[in-house]
Amino acid sequence: MPIVRTSGRLPDGRAIHFYDADPASPRRELAPPGPATTPPASQLRWDAWLDEWVVVATHRQRRTARSDVCPLCPSLGEIPGASYEVVVFDNRYPALPAVTGDPGPAGGHCEVVSYTDDHEVALSGLPLSRVETVVTAWADRTAALNERPDVAQVFCFENRGAVVGATLAHPHGQIYAYPFVPARLRRLAEVADTRWDAHRECVACVTVGREHEDPSRVVVTGEAWTAFVPYAAHWPYEVRVVPHRHVPDLAAVDPWERADLAHVLRRVLGQFDGLFQRPAAYVLSWIQAAARPARPAAHVYAEIVSPMRSPADRKHPAAGELGAGMYVNEMSPERAAAALRGEGR
Ligand SMILES: [Zn+2]
Ligand SMILES: [Zn+2]
């Protein structure tokens, strides 16, 4: 299924990319580029105590409130045209500084990924072919942003539900291109590299093999991807979606593997919605290799975490988690996997 990308600029200068799988979709005449916008200023501050960056982005307090007209619905908001399939465009309210006056990395870049022009449907409710188009858009933007000299790490993600801070109900995700490698991703890479250097062993490859031998934590098995609850899950409902092949990022995933990912991802998200018989609040994060240098240990995967223990009760990180960085998970990962598979419902 060839997916066609049409790139251009919005009237205010922000970049926009349409991804269409259906040959009948409108091939757009995009407005000629306007003057490039200067995004509102944010500030990067270095936390010398924790050896990590913090962004101070006070302008984001003004961003679209939930009651406003939806900016992702066609003809109402930011996206030109009467309909679209998948669209990616520069965020009007970027969290990362494009330019900073302070010493430190500059060049942060924030994009919005709208999965559909239908306000009411979730990623898990889209047709398989559309989820595949979303996966292709993630992969294509990862490749394009990794080429930029000011980008160190591409991070594709979705915050779904008001409880995890989503300001728009319209089904969408985001992409941050950081000018540095954020602390948790740096730590994950260091752990993987250390094991690789010592044993020529990939933690993701080894784990997928073990989960296949004992499938008690597996929730979906695909041809090219497996989804499972981690042995040492931090959150009540947490799933990793990992490719069987050792590939560093979504850009390196083959088209047939993308199709399988769409199938596995859609089923896993459907399982999250099935848990409490309602749309689940979750955070979906793509853990990908940094833009450079190439690391032989890098193995891409998605992490899907719901903070909810039950329909009404969420896990609140408290002193153990926030103060000490030590998680207490009151849900057995094996029981969580069985619940996600729909057993005992
Ligand atoms: Zn909408
Ligand atoms: Zn691997």
Side-chain angles (χ1 to χ4, degrees), residues 70-74 76 117-119 169-171:
C70 177
L72 303 185
C73 277
L76 286 179
D117 59 10
D118 182 348
H119 190 86
H170 196 111

Side-chain angles (χ1 to χ4, degrees), residues 37-327:
T37 42
T38 310
S42 330
Q43 202 185 21
L44 266 180
R45 295 193 180 186
W46 178 249
D47 180 345
W49 296 57
L50 266 174
D51 200 27
E52 66 188 36
W53 293 102
V54 175
V55 177
V56 180
T58 50
H59 65 275
R60 282 173 56 82
Q61 295 285 7
R62 291 196 305 270
R63 71 192 196 273
T64 312
R66 275 182 208 103
S67 57
D68 287 355
V69 169
C70 177
L72 303 185
C73 277
S75 310
L76 286 179
E78 310 203 13
I79 303 162
S83 67
Y84 63 84
E85 292 185 37
V86 173
V87 67
V88 182
F89 59 98
D90 293 345
N91 196 329
R92 188 190 288 274
Y93 301 100
L96 297 171
V99 178
T100 171
D102 292 339
H109 191 69
C110 300
E111 298 182 341
V112 176
V113 184
S114 184
Y115 305 149
T116 166
D117 59 10
D118 182 348
H119 190 86
E120 300 297 337
V121 69
L123 185 53
S124 61
L126 290 171
L128 207 50
S129 61
R130 179 61 61 82
V131 181
E132 201 178 325
T133 307
V134 172
V135 170
T136 299
W138 284 331
D140 188 62
R141 292 309 299 150
T142 296
L145 290 164
N146 273 343
E147 289 292 309
R148 289 171 53 143
D150 57 348
V151 168
Q153 176 73 61
V154 178
F155 181 57
C156 306
F157 65 97
E158 177 184 357
N159 295 321
R160 202 255 193 134
V163 74
V164 294
T167 44
L168 295 172
H170 196 111
H172 75 288
Q174 298 181 67
I175 300 173
Y176 282 3
Y178 296 101
F180 51 85
V181 180
R184 182 166 181 265
L185 301 179
R186 195 179 62 195
R187 174 139 188 249
L188 285 165
E190 282 166 4
V191 171
D193 289 354
T194 301
R195 183 155 169 181
W196 184 273
D197 291 344
H199 308 292
R200 282 290 174 275
E201 204 173 74
C202 164
V203 62
C205 288
V206 168
T207 305
V208 169
R210 290 212 181 118
E211 299 299 334
H212 284 167
E213 279 166 29
D214 167 15
S216 59
R217 285 179 300 273
V218 172
V219 294
V220 180
T221 312
E223 295 287 315
W225 296 72
T226 294
F228 57 91
V229 179
Y231 172 72
H234 287 43
W235 292 87
Y237 294 101
E238 178 177 334
V239 169
R240 280 187 197 134
V241 185
V242 185
H244 302 166
R245 196 161 64 86
H246 184 78
V247 281
D249 58 23
L250 286 168
V253 169
D254 287 341
W256 81 271
E257 292 170 316
R258 282 183 207 161
D260 187 63
L261 169 60
H263 155 75
V264 171
L265 191 60
R266 191 164 163 269
R267 274 191 62 197
V268 172
L269 295 175
Q271 290 177 333
F272 271 85
D273 287 345
L275 263 184
F276 307 131
Q277 303 296 314
R278 65 172 67 182
Y282 63 77
V283 173
L284 163 68
S285 307
W286 277 103
I287 312 299
Q288 308 201 77
R292 63 198 73 76
R295 291 173 37 242
H299 191 136
V300 64
Y301 62 94
E303 207 174 61
I304 305 163
V305 170
S306 175
M308 306 307 287
R309 269 192 284 248
S310 69
D313 182 27
R314 67 164 294 181
K315 174 185 168 75
H316 290 278
E321 290 84 4
L322 291 177
M326 165 80 206
Y327 281 73

